[in-house]
Amino acid sequence: MSFSASVITLFPELFPGPLGASVIGRGMADGLWSLETTQLRDFATDRHRTVDDTPSGGGAGMVLKPDILARAIDTVSPEGDARPRILMSPRGKPLTQARVRELAAGPGAVIVCGRFEGIDQRVIEARNLEEISIGDYVLAGGEVAAMVLLEAVVRLIPGVLGAAESHADESFENGLLEYPQYTRPQAFEGREIPAVLTSGDHGKVAKWRRAESEALTRARRPDLLK
């Protein structure tokens, strides 16, 4: 069973974008995962294909209408669909590597990309949308955020990266940031590869990498050490 991603968006032309390139794109071509996009405006009922309205209580901007979004979600994800329904939102829970691993082990995801001021709260509750944030900042819409989530997930699907150990020592996989990486040439602008990495002593290399990971994490993300 391959990972199946469905994205509801006002801008389907943005996809697959970077998801169609490199190993992620090859994984799609090889059938390891799939991506379909749905134009939200197709579910509008008026001749102008209106999908938003002014905020109740006043305020700037526009809000996506619950009835239209609900129709789109119900069509893309009918009853019995086991895939989680995700809303990319700056107020959501931060995306973590642990959640990424959970999603990669599942059947796929239905992702809603917001626009304007946001989405009517009633459809979030009625359709059980899991709000996920990719950082403490605001984008113009959820499309780029959806691509970030999907790239993080898809690269963990067996066969996409090739060897499973390709991501075993990466940042966040072991609760630490990844250690520094080096490759030839031995000397670059007066900087040498640390001697331990060319010593051939795998035990010393592992110990050095662990110490470097701990030091970097302590300096840059002490919250991870808690």
Side-chain angles (χ1 to χ4, degrees), residues 97-112:
Q97 193 67 13
R99 186 65 182 117
V100 166
R101 285 195 298 268
E102 292 172 352
L103 290 170
V110 177
I111 305 174
V112 176

Side-chain angles (χ1 to χ4, degrees), residues 65-145:
K65 294 166 65 66
D67 51 342
I68 294 172
L69 183 53
R71 280 196 292 272
I73 293 171
D74 292 345
T75 299
V76 171
S77 177
E79 187 175 352
D81 187 350
R83 296 177 298 170
R85 296 168 173 176
I86 296 170
L87 170 63
M88 306 311 301
S89 168
R91 74 176 196 179
K93 291 183 178 179
L95 181 63
T96 65
Q97 193 67 13
R99 186 65 182 117
V100 166
R101 285 195 298 268
E102 292 172 352
L103 290 170
V110 177
I111 305 174
V112 176
C113 298
R115 280 275 161 175
F116 315 126
E117 269 313 295
I119 291 171
D120 190 299
Q121 181 65 28
R122 292 169 296 177
V123 73
I124 296 175
E125 297 169 358
R127 294 302 182 269
N128 193 30
L129 300 183
E130 174 189 357
E131 296 184 70
I132 292 181
S133 169
I134 63 165
D136 294 342
Y137 44 85
V138 179
L139 302 173
E143 287 76 17
V144 171

